[in-house]
Amino acid sequence: PTPAPTSTRRILIECTTCGRPGQPEALPDGLCRPCRTTHTNETHPQPAEVADIKAHMANLRDLLKPV
């Protein structure tokens, strides 16, 4: 008797940013190529900007404290 044919299961995942489906190998770090390109071209804040943001947030937290 001949063995029954086995079905091959294909696993697809989605890009974590845009939801585009693809095989796991095509979505390293969970991102498709267009989203990965956009992600790597983003600018990161400078240390002075980070300090300004932290100071601003600390000020906002102080304003929210009960008197």
Side-chain angles (χ1 to χ4, degrees), residues 7-27:
S7 62
T8 305
R9 297 177 96 185
R10 293 181 61 186
I11 297 174
L12 294 178
I13 60 173
E14 292 181 351
C15 173
T16 56
T17 302
C18 70
R20 179 180 299 196
Q23 294 182 354
E25 309 83 54
L27 301 169

PDB file of all heavy atoms in Angstrom, residues 7-27:
ATOM      1  N   SER A   7       0.250  16.561   4.419  1.00  0.00           N
ATOM      2  CA  SER A   7       0.074  17.966   4.054  1.00  0.00           C
ATOM      3  C   SER A   7       1.171  18.793   4.724  1.00  0.00           C
ATOM      4  O   SER A   7       1.583  18.523   5.841  1.00  0.00           O
ATOM      5  CB  SER A   7      -1.304  18.465   4.481  1.00  0.00           C
ATOM      6  OG  SER A   7      -1.431  18.389   5.879  1.00  0.00           O
ATOM      7  N   THR A   8       1.658  19.758   4.008  1.00  0.00           N
ATOM      8  CA  THR A   8       2.677  20.646   4.541  1.00  0.00           C
ATOM      9  C   THR A   8       1.996  21.884   5.092  1.00  0.00           C
ATOM     10  O   THR A   8       1.202  22.511   4.410  1.00  0.00           O
ATOM     11  CB  THR A   8       3.669  21.060   3.434  1.00  0.00           C
ATOM     12  OG1 THR A   8       4.206  19.889   2.848  1.00  0.00           O
ATOM     13  CG2 THR A   8       4.769  21.918   3.985  1.00  0.00           C
ATOM     14  N   ARG A   9       2.319  22.206   6.333  1.00  0.00           N
ATOM     15  CA  ARG A   9       1.723  23.380   6.952  1.00  0.00           C
ATOM     16  C   ARG A   9       2.662  24.552   6.772  1.00  0.00           C
ATOM     17  O   ARG A   9       3.845  24.454   7.054  1.00  0.00           O
ATOM     18  CB  ARG A   9       1.475  23.137   8.429  1.00  0.00           C
ATOM     19  CG  ARG A   9       0.491  22.018   8.668  1.00  0.00           C
ATOM     20  CD  ARG A   9       0.333  21.774  10.112  1.00  0.00           C
ATOM     21  NE  ARG A   9      -0.849  22.508  10.555  1.00  0.00           N
ATOM     22  CZ  ARG A   9      -1.245  22.605  11.799  1.00  0.00           C
ATOM     23  NH1 ARG A   9      -0.545  22.037  12.741  1.00  0.00           N
ATOM     24  NH2 ARG A   9      -2.319  23.268  12.112  1.00  0.00           N
ATOM     25  N   ARG A  10       2.123  25.649   6.299  1.00  0.00           N
ATOM     26  CA  ARG A  10       2.904  26.870   6.159  1.00  0.00           C
ATOM     27  C   ARG A  10       2.501  27.814   7.277  1.00  0.00           C
ATOM     28  O   ARG A  10       1.331  28.064   7.503  1.00  0.00           O
ATOM     29  CB  ARG A  10       2.641  27.524   4.814  1.00  0.00           C
ATOM     30  CG  ARG A  10       3.154  26.678   3.655  1.00  0.00           C
ATOM     31  CD  ARG A  10       2.922  27.344   2.352  1.00  0.00           C
ATOM     32  NE  ARG A  10       3.652  28.625   2.332  1.00  0.00           N
ATOM     33  CZ  ARG A  10       3.559  29.497   1.357  1.00  0.00           C
ATOM     34  NH1 ARG A  10       2.778  29.258   0.334  1.00  0.00           N
ATOM     35  NH2 ARG A  10       4.233  30.612   1.395  1.00  0.00           N
ATOM     36  N   ILE A  11       3.478  28.308   7.973  1.00  0.00           N
ATOM     37  CA  ILE A  11       3.210  29.232   9.059  1.00  0.00           C
ATOM     38  C   ILE A  11       3.427  30.647   8.547  1.00  0.00           C
ATOM     39  O   ILE A  11       4.463  30.962   7.965  1.00  0.00           O
ATOM     40  CB  ILE A  11       4.137  28.958  10.262  1.00  0.00           C
ATOM     41  CG1 ILE A  11       3.851  27.569  10.814  1.00  0.00           C
ATOM     42  CG2 ILE A  11       3.971  30.021  11.325  1.00  0.00           C
ATOM     43  CD1 ILE A  11       4.789  27.141  11.907  1.00  0.00           C
ATOM     44  N   LEU A  12       2.428  31.488   8.741  1.00  0.00           N
ATOM     45  CA  LEU A  12       2.535  32.894   8.390  1.00  0.00           C
ATOM     46  C   LEU A  12       2.426  33.719   9.662  1.00  0.00           C
ATOM     47  O   LEU A  12       1.691  33.370  10.578  1.00  0.00           O
ATOM     48  CB  LEU A  12       1.420  33.308   7.419  1.00  0.00           C
ATOM     49  CG  LEU A  12       1.456  32.687   6.028  1.00  0.00           C
ATOM     50  CD1 LEU A  12       0.256  33.173   5.220  1.00  0.00           C
ATOM     51  CD2 LEU A  12       2.734  33.057   5.307  1.00  0.00           C
ATOM     52  N   ILE A  13       3.184  34.783   9.702  1.00  0.00           N
ATOM     53  CA  ILE A  13       3.066  35.729  10.801  1.00  0.00           C
ATOM     54  C   ILE A  13       2.786  37.099  10.199  1.00  0.00           C
ATOM     55  O   ILE A  13       2.841  37.274   8.983  1.00  0.00           O
ATOM     56  CB  ILE A  13       4.336  35.753  11.687  1.00  0.00           C
ATOM     57  CG1 ILE A  13       5.565  36.158  10.880  1.00  0.00           C
ATOM     58  CG2 ILE A  13       4.557  34.417  12.352  1.00  0.00           C
ATOM     59  CD1 ILE A  13       6.800  36.367  11.732  1.00  0.00           C
ATOM     60  N   GLU A  14       2.480  38.069  11.045  1.00  0.00           N
ATOM     61  CA  GLU A  14       2.192  39.411  10.559  1.00  0.00           C
ATOM     62  C   GLU A  14       3.250  40.385  11.058  1.00  0.00           C
ATOM     63  O   GLU A  14       3.788  40.231  12.154  1.00  0.00           O
ATOM     64  CB  GLU A  14       0.826  39.879  11.063  1.00  0.00           C
ATOM     65  CG  GLU A  14      -0.323  39.124  10.469  1.00  0.00           C
ATOM     66  CD  GLU A  14      -1.655  39.645  10.969  1.00  0.00           C
ATOM     67  OE1 GLU A  14      -1.673  40.476  11.904  1.00  0.00           O
ATOM     68  OE2 GLU A  14      -2.673  39.226  10.427  1.00  0.00           O
ATOM     69  N   CYS A  15       3.503  41.415  10.263  1.00  0.00           N
ATOM     70  CA  CYS A  15       4.394  42.497  10.658  1.00  0.00           C
ATOM     71  C   CYS A  15       3.774  43.164  11.884  1.00  0.00           C
ATOM     72  O   CYS A  15       2.574  43.428  11.920  1.00  0.00           O
ATOM     73  CB  CYS A  15       4.535  43.508   9.520  1.00  0.00           C
ATOM     74  SG  CYS A  15       5.444  44.997   9.972  1.00  0.00           S
ATOM     75  N   THR A  16       4.586  43.428  12.895  1.00  0.00           N
ATOM     76  CA  THR A  16       4.056  44.006  14.125  1.00  0.00           C
ATOM     77  C   THR A  16       3.637  45.462  13.946  1.00  0.00           C
ATOM     78  O   THR A  16       2.900  45.990  14.769  1.00  0.00           O
ATOM     79  CB  THR A  16       5.089  43.922  15.265  1.00  0.00           C
ATOM     80  OG1 THR A  16       6.289  44.563  14.851  1.00  0.00           O
ATOM     81  CG2 THR A  16       5.370  42.479  15.623  1.00  0.00           C
ATOM     82  N   THR A  17       4.071  46.106  12.887  1.00  0.00           N
ATOM     83  CA  THR A  17       3.717  47.498  12.658  1.00  0.00           C
ATOM     84  C   THR A  17       2.510  47.639  11.735  1.00  0.00           C
ATOM     85  O   THR A  17       1.525  48.280  12.085  1.00  0.00           O
ATOM     86  CB  THR A  17       4.912  48.278  12.067  1.00  0.00           C
ATOM     87  OG1 THR A  17       6.000  48.177  12.974  1.00  0.00           O
ATOM     88  CG2 THR A  17       4.576  49.733  11.857  1.00  0.00           C
ATOM     89  N   CYS A  18       2.562  47.023  10.560  1.00  0.00           N
ATOM     90  CA  CYS A  18       1.492  47.242   9.574  1.00  0.00           C
ATOM     91  C   CYS A  18       0.558  46.055   9.402  1.00  0.00           C
ATOM     92  O   CYS A  18      -0.489  46.178   8.773  1.00  0.00           O
ATOM     93  CB  CYS A  18       2.095  47.614   8.230  1.00  0.00           C
ATOM     94  SG  CYS A  18       2.970  46.255   7.406  1.00  0.00           S
ATOM     95  N   GLY A  19       0.926  44.883   9.934  1.00  0.00           N
ATOM     96  CA  GLY A  19       0.056  43.714   9.835  1.00  0.00           C
ATOM     97  C   GLY A  19       0.190  42.934   8.542  1.00  0.00           C
ATOM     98  O   GLY A  19      -0.592  42.026   8.278  1.00  0.00           O
ATOM     99  N   ARG A  20       1.184  43.245   7.729  1.00  0.00           N
ATOM    100  CA  ARG A  20       1.390  42.528   6.465  1.00  0.00           C
ATOM    101  C   ARG A  20       1.780  41.082   6.763  1.00  0.00           C
ATOM    102  O   ARG A  20       2.692  40.831   7.539  1.00  0.00           O
ATOM    103  CB  ARG A  20       2.491  43.208   5.677  1.00  0.00           C
ATOM    104  CG  ARG A  20       2.810  42.527   4.353  1.00  0.00           C
ATOM    105  CD  ARG A  20       3.893  43.261   3.634  1.00  0.00           C
ATOM    106  NE  ARG A  20       3.410  44.608   3.374  1.00  0.00           N
ATOM    107  CZ  ARG A  20       3.950  45.451   2.520  1.00  0.00           C
ATOM    108  NH1 ARG A  20       5.018  45.117   1.865  1.00  0.00           N
ATOM    109  NH2 ARG A  20       3.442  46.641   2.350  1.00  0.00           N
ATOM    110  N   PRO A  21       1.087  40.091   6.169  1.00  0.00           N
ATOM    111  CA  PRO A  21       1.431  38.687   6.431  1.00  0.00           C
ATOM    112  C   PRO A  21       2.686  38.274   5.669  1.00  0.00           C
ATOM    113  O   PRO A  21       2.987  38.818   4.617  1.00  0.00           O
ATOM    114  CB  PRO A  21       0.205  37.915   5.922  1.00  0.00           C
ATOM    115  CG  PRO A  21      -0.373  38.803   4.873  1.00  0.00           C
ATOM    116  CD  PRO A  21      -0.075  40.212   5.293  1.00  0.00           C
ATOM    117  N   GLY A  22       3.397  37.313   6.238  1.00  0.00           N
ATOM    118  CA  GLY A  22       4.576  36.785   5.570  1.00  0.00           C
ATOM    119  C   GLY A  22       5.159  35.625   6.346  1.00  0.00           C
ATOM    120  O   GLY A  22       4.762  35.347   7.476  1.00  0.00           O
ATOM    121  N   GLN A  23       6.084  34.944   5.720  1.00  0.00           N
ATOM    122  CA  GLN A  23       6.755  33.834   6.394  1.00  0.00           C
ATOM    123  C   GLN A  23       7.735  34.396   7.421  1.00  0.00           C
ATOM    124  O   GLN A  23       8.255  35.505   7.251  1.00  0.00           O
ATOM    125  CB  GLN A  23       7.469  32.966   5.368  1.00  0.00           C
ATOM    126  CG  GLN A  23       6.498  32.272   4.435  1.00  0.00           C
ATOM    127  CD  GLN A  23       7.209  31.370   3.456  1.00  0.00           C
ATOM    128  OE1 GLN A  23       8.424  31.329   3.388  1.00  0.00           O
ATOM    129  NE2 GLN A  23       6.426  30.633   2.690  1.00  0.00           N
ATOM    130  N   PRO A  24       7.984  33.664   8.489  1.00  0.00           N
ATOM    131  CA  PRO A  24       8.862  34.164   9.546  1.00  0.00           C
ATOM    132  C   PRO A  24      10.236  34.625   9.045  1.00  0.00           C
ATOM    133  O   PRO A  24      10.761  35.625   9.528  1.00  0.00           O
ATOM    134  CB  PRO A  24       9.005  32.968  10.485  1.00  0.00           C
ATOM    135  CG  PRO A  24       7.778  32.159  10.259  1.00  0.00           C
ATOM    136  CD  PRO A  24       7.431  32.351   8.807  1.00  0.00           C
ATOM    137  N   GLU A  25      10.784  33.952   8.054  1.00  0.00           N
ATOM    138  CA  GLU A  25      12.100  34.332   7.536  1.00  0.00           C
ATOM    139  C   GLU A  25      12.065  35.715   6.884  1.00  0.00           C
ATOM    140  O   GLU A  25      13.065  36.412   6.821  1.00  0.00           O
ATOM    141  CB  GLU A  25      12.611  33.330   6.487  1.00  0.00           C
ATOM    142  CG  GLU A  25      12.576  31.883   6.880  1.00  0.00           C
ATOM    143  CD  GLU A  25      11.209  31.242   6.675  1.00  0.00           C
ATOM    144  OE1 GLU A  25      10.650  31.302   5.562  1.00  0.00           O
ATOM    145  OE2 GLU A  25      10.710  30.677   7.648  1.00  0.00           O
ATOM    146  N   ALA A  26      10.908  36.098   6.347  1.00  0.00           N
ATOM    147  CA  ALA A  26      10.779  37.377   5.651  1.00  0.00           C
ATOM    148  C   ALA A  26      10.508  38.533   6.608  1.00  0.00           C
ATOM    149  O   ALA A  26      10.511  39.682   6.180  1.00  0.00           O
ATOM    150  CB  ALA A  26       9.656  37.290   4.621  1.00  0.00           C
ATOM    151  N   LEU A  27      10.273  38.243   7.890  1.00  0.00           N
ATOM    152  CA  LEU A  27       9.945  39.285   8.852  1.00  0.00           C
ATOM    153  C   LEU A  27      10.893  39.244  10.053  1.00  0.00           C
ATOM    154  O   LEU A  27      10.477  38.999  11.176  1.00  0.00           O
ATOM    155  CB  LEU A  27       8.487  39.134   9.315  1.00  0.00           C
ATOM    156  CG  LEU A  27       7.432  39.216   8.213  1.00  0.00           C
ATOM    157  CD1 LEU A  27       6.084  38.794   8.741  1.00  0.00           C
ATOM    158  CD2 LEU A  27       7.371  40.604   7.641  1.00  0.00           C
TER     159      LEU A  27
END
